[in-house]
Amino acid sequence: MTAQTATPEKAGFSMHRTIERIGIHNLSLLVALVGLLVIFGTLRGDVFFSTRNLLNIGMGVAILGVLAISQTGVIVSGGLDISVGSIVGLTTVATAMTIQSTEAAGMGILAGVIIGALAGLMNGILVTYGRINAVIVTLGTMAIFRGIAFILSDGQSISIFNDSFRWIGTGRIIGLPVPLWILVAVAIGFYIFMHKSIVGRNYYAIGGNPIVARLSGLNIPRYRVAIYVVSGVMAGVGGILLAARTGSGQPISGSDGLELEAITAAFLGGCAMQGGRGTVIGALLGVAIIGVLNNGMILTAVPTFYQMLAKGTLLILAVFLAEYRLNKS
């Protein structure tokens, strides 16, 4: 028998299939990520690729990743949730207060999830049945939730002295931080839900063409409320992780700006303002880019004000590219 050699045509076809599976957009994100790694690795090679710094990047993107993945689901369905950062802050306060009063980590976690779900439910009801634009609603509730967090905490940090709870934010499993494992679990769960389940596919249908989705028999109001509840629960999970990592409940510190980064990561990942587009993998790549960019700017001593400028520019660029792809297709 003679061994068959791959012809250039077969090799080209195989490469084309590989690119199709990865996706042109995801491939461009990978190239951008590698470019950032090369740039910061060159500027601060003595520190950037150290195990400690890479774990710091992972810890830094764990909470953002959870929020960006759930934000992707909201945007895919045609909505937007600007209040997630405030929900995270409120959740840290509620979790810390519950653990202080009950001395039970489980009760604190339950409180955080419930508060997140209730906040999401409020957003969903106002958007769906109040028929108010999602941007306006979540912009308003962003201020409301942050105000409640300040009132409950009296504007002070609430310390958490519970080793079992703190392990969630500082412990490790097989050498990797627990928050990273939680992010992986959330990513896998959402990937299966969004791409393999009927309910997840309906998200895309509602965002892509709500009229057709309604005519096909989908209960769109119920779906929309549920989508915001899920977003609130994931923000609650993010708040639990933040409280466990910092050992405190704080109304704003640590959660301020998370909504901007989560939305940026979702749009970098391929979401469209009109809905109907976006993937979990794309969101994770967007999160990785933001995490590396944040870490690299800190290591290279970029002033805070310039970091804010870079993040705002990145959001505008992400939305511009998303709209450009949509108009071109």
Side-chain angles (χ1 to χ4, degrees), residues 74 80 91 98 101 105 131 154 165 204 231 237 239 244 246 291 320:
V74 175
L80 191 68
T91 301
T98 303
S101 61
R131 298 184 181 279
D154 198 25
F165 181 75
Y204 287 92
S231 177
V237 171
T246 61
F320 171 78

Side-chain angles (χ1 to χ4, degrees), residues 51-307:
T51 302
R52 180 177 180 180
N53 188 60
L54 292 177
L55 288 176
N56 284 338
I57 294 175
M59 285 286 286
V61 302
I63 297 172
L64 174 59
V66 170
L67 297 183
I69 290 170
S70 63
Q71 188 73 241
T72 296
V74 175
I75 297 174
V76 162
S77 68
L80 191 68
D81 191 350
I82 305 175
S83 68
V84 288
S86 293
I87 297 176
V88 168
L90 176 59
T91 301
T92 66
V93 170
T95 299
M97 292 178 67
T98 303
I99 291 176
Q100 271 196 355
S101 61
T102 65
E103 298 184 356
M107 291 301 294
I109 294 171
L110 181 61
V113 171
I114 290 175
I115 290 296
L118 289 175
L121 179 63
M122 179 177 174
N123 283 335
I125 290 175
L126 288 173
V127 170
T128 305
Y129 297 105
R131 298 184 181 279
I132 308 172
N133 184 278
V135 174
I136 302 301
V137 168
T138 56
L139 190 62
T141 55
M142 177 178 71
I144 291 172
F145 298 147
R146 186 154 292 164
I148 294 173
F150 272 106
I151 292 169
L152 291 176
S153 64
D154 198 25
Q156 304 296 318
S157 173
I158 303 173
S159 298
I160 300 174
F161 302 102
N162 186 299
D163 291 337
S164 298
F165 181 75
R166 290 295 309 279
W167 179 83
I168 297 173
T170 60
R172 294 191 180 188
I173 299 176
I174 319 179
L176 293 177
V178 173
L180 264 183
W181 287 109
I182 293 175
L183 172 59
V184 169
V186 169
I188 293 173
F190 260 83
Y191 179 84
I192 295 172
F193 172 73
M194 293 288 290
H195 300 286
K196 304 298 181 182
S197 72
I198 295 175
V199 175
R201 289 170 184 166
N202 288 342
Y203 273 34
Y204 287 92
I206 293 171
N209 196 323
I211 296 176
V212 173
R214 186 181 297 109
L215 292 175
S216 66
L218 293 182
N219 190 328
I220 293 181
R222 185 179 298 175
Y223 267 94
R224 289 201 188 282
V225 172
I227 287 164
Y228 281 97
V229 171
V230 171
S231 177
V233 169
M234 288 299 101
V237 171
I240 292 167
L241 291 177
L242 180 60
R245 191 177 74 185
T246 61
S248 63
Q250 303 184 46
I252 191 168
S253 179
S255 60
D256 189 30
L258 277 175
E259 59 282 321
L260 173 67
E261 293 188 342
I263 293 170
T264 302
F267 280 116
L268 277 175
C271 284
M273 282 294 294
Q274 293 82 356
R277 295 191 178 196
T279 65
V280 171
I281 294 175
L284 288 176
L285 288 172
V287 166
I289 288 174
I290 292 174
V292 170
L293 182 63
N294 287 342
N295 182 265
M297 287 192 295
I298 292 172
L299 291 181
T300 53
V302 174
T304 304
F305 297 141
Y306 288 97
Q307 292 183 33

